[in-house]
Amino acid sequence: MIVIGGSASMDLAKELATVLDCTFIPATTTAFPDGECYTRLEVEELNDDVILVQNTFPDSKIIETFLLQDAIKKLGAKSLTLVIPYFGYARQDRVFKNGEPVSANIMCKHLDLCCDRVITIDLHKESTLDSFTCAHKDLKAAPVIAEYFKTKGIDMVLSPDIGAAGRAKIVGDCMGLPYDHLCKTRISGTEVKIQPATADVKGKSVLIVDDMISTGGTIIAATAALKEAGAVKVSVACTHGVFINNALERFNGSPIDSVVCCNTLNNAVSRISVAELVAGAVKDALAGKW
Ligand code: R5P
């Protein structure tokens, strides 16, 4: 088995290779003078099962992924498993306004052209993977997040909206804690409205879990609603910390007490590793279990 790290996911790929105790090859990625992506795997051949770890975010990394898929096949890989820790465009998973594309499905269709198996982590909507014709699996980070918070004095787990209620349930169940969800209405790409919390959070230390934090609008509003309802401490955890527009810095002046995320994307608070989770799925796949 050989793990290849694309430039968007180099650290996680390296950690995965260590967990799997196998060869690690980093892609060498630069740009041509005109800005087009140039990537190369500096090996003679890849006569083995290959695992490519690469986020399809931001846009330039999608191109790099296509190029690496082609290079891997040309070097003679026996099979190619594409691990996409953070899948870009996952949230445009339907036509919201007439004339829009279903971006998530189109990404799948193109990535599908050159791979045998795909692994994602907490994809915004799991059914998006049905656009792949190859084998696919979406891994759930909730148990890993629950493990991280087991000793952190949490009393209750909440999701910021009903869409993430299942995630709060898994984390709550794993920690043996009650769980609930808030109700969110999205007003624009950067603005959300959270209804006043109905759950009894008075005097409690609450953990909010979500699949991703982008602008941070959702968790800032959710934390404000919980503090308003009497929560004494609000910790926040997500799988994908995108943190656009300096979101992490803005949390400093907000009522949020702490933020942590998984290492699907690298940032100052990506302290929860999904390497073991991915390694388990890779081993099962190569053993023919899925
Ligand atoms: C939405 O359905 C997602 O689960 C997240 O709640 C959302 O994408 C977070 O975005 P933001 O941080 O920009 O509010």
Side-chain angles (χ1 to χ4, degrees), residues 16-96:
L16 180 65
T18 304
V19 175
L20 289 169
D21 195 20
C22 70
T23 305
F24 171 66
I25 300 172
T28 304
T29 303
T30 55
F32 284 107
D34 62 1
E36 288 176 351
C37 178
Y38 174 83
T39 192
R40 183 170 176 232
L41 298 168
E42 295 179 27
V43 286
E44 288 304 311
E45 60 168 15
L46 288 171
N47 186 22
D48 208 334
D49 294 305
V50 171
I51 322 299
L52 169 61
V53 188
Q54 169 80 330
N55 287 335
T56 53
F57 174 86
D59 284 4
S60 61
K61 307 301 177 187
I62 300 171
I63 302 294
E64 184 187 333
T65 309
F66 295 152
L67 303 183
L68 285 171
Q69 285 175 286
D70 187 58
I72 289 166
K73 283 287 177 180
K74 284 190 167 48
L75 285 166
K78 285 185 189 157
S79 71
L80 170 52
T81 301
L82 177 58
V83 177
I84 310 174
Y86 177 65
F87 190 107
Y89 291 95
R91 288 183 292 176
Q92 182 73 31
D93 55 10
R94 65 186 169 92
V95 172
F96 296 91

Side-chain angles (χ1 to χ4, degrees), residues 13-211:
K14 202 170 182 180
E15 194 183 337
L16 180 65
T18 304
V19 175
L20 289 169
D21 195 20
C22 70
T23 305
F24 171 66
I25 300 172
T28 304
T29 303
T30 55
F32 284 107
D34 62 1
E36 288 176 351
C37 178
Y38 174 83
T39 192
R40 183 170 176 232
L41 298 168
E42 295 179 27
V43 286
E44 288 304 311
E45 60 168 15
L46 288 171
N47 186 22
D48 208 334
D49 294 305
V50 171
I51 322 299
L52 169 61
V53 188
Q54 169 80 330
N55 287 335
T56 53
F57 174 86
D59 284 4
S60 61
K61 307 301 177 187
I62 300 171
I63 302 294
E64 184 187 333
T65 309
F66 295 152
L67 303 183
L68 285 171
Q69 285 175 286
D70 187 58
I72 289 166
K73 283 287 177 180
K74 284 190 167 48
L75 285 166
K78 285 185 189 157
S79 71
L80 170 52
T81 301
L82 177 58
V83 177
I84 310 174
Y86 177 65
F87 190 107
Y89 291 95
R91 288 183 292 176
Q92 182 73 31
D93 55 10
R94 65 186 169 92
V95 172
F96 296 91
K97 287 184 196 150
N98 193 32
E100 291 175 351
V102 183
S103 313
N105 292 358
I106 285 302
M107 291 303 145
C108 295
K109 284 179 184 162
H110 286 82
L111 293 161
D112 192 48
L113 292 174
C114 195
C115 72
D116 301 292
R117 191 178 298 111
V118 174
I119 296 174
T120 54
I121 302 163
D122 283 341
L123 193 61
H124 188 64
K125 203 177 283 165
E126 199 175 334
S127 57
T128 295
L129 288 181
D130 295 341
S131 294
F132 279 103
T133 60
C134 64
H136 47 79
K137 197 181 250 318
D138 184 53
L139 307 178
K140 309 293 171 217
V144 189
I145 291 173
E147 190 57 39
Y148 178 88
F149 278 95
K150 257 184 183 155
T151 54
K152 304 257 186 303
I154 305 293
D155 300 313
M156 188 172 191
V157 183
L158 277 149
S159 65
D161 54 38
I162 193 158
R167 183 168 295 107
K169 176 178 170 16
I170 302 174
V171 175
D173 285 346
C174 289
M175 296 174 77
L177 293 174
Y179 55 86
D180 207 333
H181 64 85
L182 296 165
C183 292
K184 170 174 106 176
T185 311
R186 183 161 284 287
I187 296 158
S188 70
T190 53
E191 223 186 323
V192 300
K193 195 168 173 231
I194 302 266
Q195 283 174 25
T198 51
D200 179 16
V201 295
K202 205 169 174 21
K204 291 183 179 159
S205 172
V206 179
L207 170 63
I208 302 178
V209 287
D210 208 352
D211 60 341

